[in-house]
């Protein structure tokens, strides 16, 4: 039985303050998608990686991994709608986002181990640390949410391949973790997340990532 990873590289880079697609923006001179794939491979828990890129960027994505084509492939995205097809020997699928390029390899191994152990969906989460206020439509504060039961989901997610084979999915150009979990409609096993697995959404996030890789 093998483990396959899907690394989504189809997001837009506008919010990062660049004209490049997000996955090809560089941190420390290395494209985000390359860093994300490296963390998956370095985990030692994944046998093969498929990079999901927009069709117009598919050739570029493939060129980045040409030297490791035996382990890393690429497919055009968006365009996947319905049940996903994997080789019969794939037991577990890891879903990761290229915009989380500093994810520790140990986190990948952790979610794979948890998914195999519970034969279900494993998601890394972090406790919500900010104070959350509940507002009405005109902006009046109605109260403060209890943070004790709130968590922020991250990627990578690990889940049985059969669950994706048997579930009809609608995934747009960018990977949204909550939407994916809602579509799966399965109980989720939570594992401790990692602050380094933060998502690069803004120019400030990009600057933070640059600082972290330079220290």
């Amino acid at each position: 039985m093998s483990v396959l990873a899907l690394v989504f590289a189809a997001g837009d880079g506008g919010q990062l303050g660049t004209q490049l697609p997000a996955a090809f923006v560089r941190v420390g001179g290395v494209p985000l998608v390359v860093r994300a794939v490296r963390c998956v491979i370095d985990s030692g828990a994944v046998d093969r990686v498929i990079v999901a890129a927009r069709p117009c960027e598919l050739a570029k994505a493939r060129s980045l991994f040409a030297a490791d084509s035996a382990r890393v492939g690429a497919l055009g995205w968006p365009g996947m709608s319905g049940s996903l097809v994997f080789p019969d020997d794939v037991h577990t699928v890891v879903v990761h986002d290229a915009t989380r390029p500093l994810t520790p390899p140990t986190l990948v191994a952790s979610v794979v181990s948890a998914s195999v152990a519970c034969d279900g969906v494993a998601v890394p989460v972090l406790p919500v640390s900010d104070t959350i206020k509940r507002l009405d439509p005109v902006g009046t504060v109605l109260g403060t949410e209890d943070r004790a039961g709130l968590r922020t989901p991250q990627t990578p997610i690990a889940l049985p391949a059969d669950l994706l084979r048997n579930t009809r999915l609608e995934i747009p150009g960018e990977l949204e973790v909550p939407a994916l979990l809602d579509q799966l409609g399965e109980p989720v096993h939570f594992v401790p997340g990692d602050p380094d697995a933060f998502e690069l959404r803004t120019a400030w996030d990009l600057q933070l990532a640059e600082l972290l890789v330079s220290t």
Side-chain angles (χ1 to χ4, degrees):
M1 294 297 185
S2 65
V3 178
L4 174 74
L6 285 174
V7 176
F8 282 78
D12 187 89
Q15 291 181 317
L16 296 177
T18 173
Q19 298 300 313
L20 289 172
F24 300 103
V25 173
R26 293 175 181 265
V27 167
V30 180
L32 301 189
V33 66
V34 172
R35 287 187 176 275
V37 169
R38 281 180 186 172
C39 90
V40 169
I41 291 176
D42 290 348
S43 72
V46 172
D47 301 293
R48 181 162 172 77
V49 182
I50 300 296
V51 175
R54 291 186 290 197
C56 60
E57 293 144 11
L58 189 54
K60 185 174 183 178
R62 285 174 174 159
S63 70
L64 290 174
F65 302 102
D68 199 13
S69 59
R71 288 190 300 176
V72 185
L75 57 80
W77 195 277
M80 193 176 286
S81 176
S83 299
L84 309 191
V85 178
F86 303 108
D88 291 341
D89 70 326
V90 174
H91 176 271
T92 303
V93 176
V94 174
V95 179
H96 192 36
D97 196 331
T99 57
R100 297 181 187 267
L102 305 186
T103 299
T106 52
L107 186 58
V108 181
S110 176
V111 295
V112 171
S113 177
S115 176
V116 171
C118 70
D119 193 28
V121 184
V123 181
V125 297
L126 289 176
V128 173
S129 57
D130 292 331
T131 299
I132 307 296
K133 293 293 185 180
R134 187 173 65 257
L135 308 179
D136 67 12
V138 297
T140 303
V141 176
L142 299 178
T144 302
E145 293 291 340
D146 182 2
R147 291 176 298 185
L150 299 179
R151 298 293 185 271
T152 300
Q154 299 178 306
T155 70
I157 297 169
L159 63 163
D162 284 345
L163 185 56
L164 290 179
R165 291 186 180 105
N166 300 325
T167 302
R168 183 173 182 82
L169 297 178
E170 295 291 340
I171 302 177
E174 296 186 34
L175 177 64
E176 293 291 342
V177 178
L180 176 58
L181 295 178
D182 288 346
Q183 288 188 65
L184 291 173
E186 293 286 322
V188 174
H189 179 77
F190 295 123
V191 301
D194 192 294
D196 285 344
F198 68 97
E199 183 178 10
L200 274 62
R201 286 183 172 269
T202 67
W204 186 89
D205 296 330
L206 185 58
Q207 293 175 19
L208 177 59
E210 286 282 4
L211 178 63
L212 290 172
V213 300
S214 67
T215 57

